[in-house]
Amino acid sequence: MKTKIFLTLAVGILFTNIHLQAMTRNSSYGENPRVLIAYFSATGTTARIARQLADITGGTLYAIRPERPYTDDDLDWRNPRSRSSVEMNDPESRPAIREKMADINAYDVIYVGYPVWWDLAPRIVNTFIESHDLRGKTVIPFATSGSSPIRNSAAVLRSTYPELRWQEGRLLNRPDERELREWVVGR
């Protein structure tokens, strides 16, 4: 009985993977798109989602890391003098990133992930976008948040960088693998 259940599950997983690969090959991204998952994660939540997306898409992970890491005090949104509060209150703020993505031209589809801060993408996401030529690439935002939707942060990115080919983003707080696969395949 256990063997039958195991075989049934294994076959189901195999067919799901085959279907996902076929859908990806036949998607609007073209045959075998090269996928990058670029993400900023202050606490690890967005990083977890980025790893799941990389597993599903076969994409390459790139962590957008600040030159100077954020401390807990830096992330205290209740303190108007905290580093994150100061950055988010200055639309021109562009925190330095540790290293640029070596070969951004090798990718066709770029998922850009971030936690929602003050109903926006953290300013370091702007640094990433402005440090890399993303024109001609499909750019898909995804976000995590304790209470804010992605709508405004994605709209601001879209209006700030209108020359980019944006697709609809998604808030991905606690998605299960099936939900993530459906979102990726449905693109």
Side-chain angles (χ1 to χ4, degrees), residues 30-48:
E31 188 76 23
N32 298 318
R34 298 163 298 173
V35 177
L36 175 69
I37 291 85
Y39 67 93
F40 167 67
S41 187
T43 63
T45 303
T46 307
R48 181 178 51 79

Side-chain angles (χ1 to χ4, degrees), residues 101-114:
M101 179 66 200
D103 189 13
I104 201 79
N105 292 324
Y107 300 95
D108 307 305
V109 177
I110 302 175
Y111 287 85
V112 177
Y114 54 88

Side-chain angles (χ1 to χ4, degrees), residues 8-25 55-56 177-182 184-185:
T8 302
L9 288 172
V11 169
I13 290 169
L14 175 66
F15 282 115
T16 299
N17 286 335
I18 289 170
H19 176 71
L20 177 62
Q21 290 169 2
M23 291 295 289
T24 300
R25 280 194 302 275
D55 288 344
I56 290 169
E177 186 176 341
R178 182 188 55 75
E179 181 184 353
L180 274 179
R181 284 185 185 278
E182 287 173 1
V184 169
V185 170

Side-chain angles (χ1 to χ4, degrees), residues 123-139:
R123 303 294 183 201
I124 196 164
V125 171
N126 298 83
T127 305
F128 168 76
I129 292 170
E130 293 170 11
S131 300
H132 299 84
D133 185 4
L134 305 183
R135 289 173 298 177
K137 300 179 182 315
T138 299
V139 183

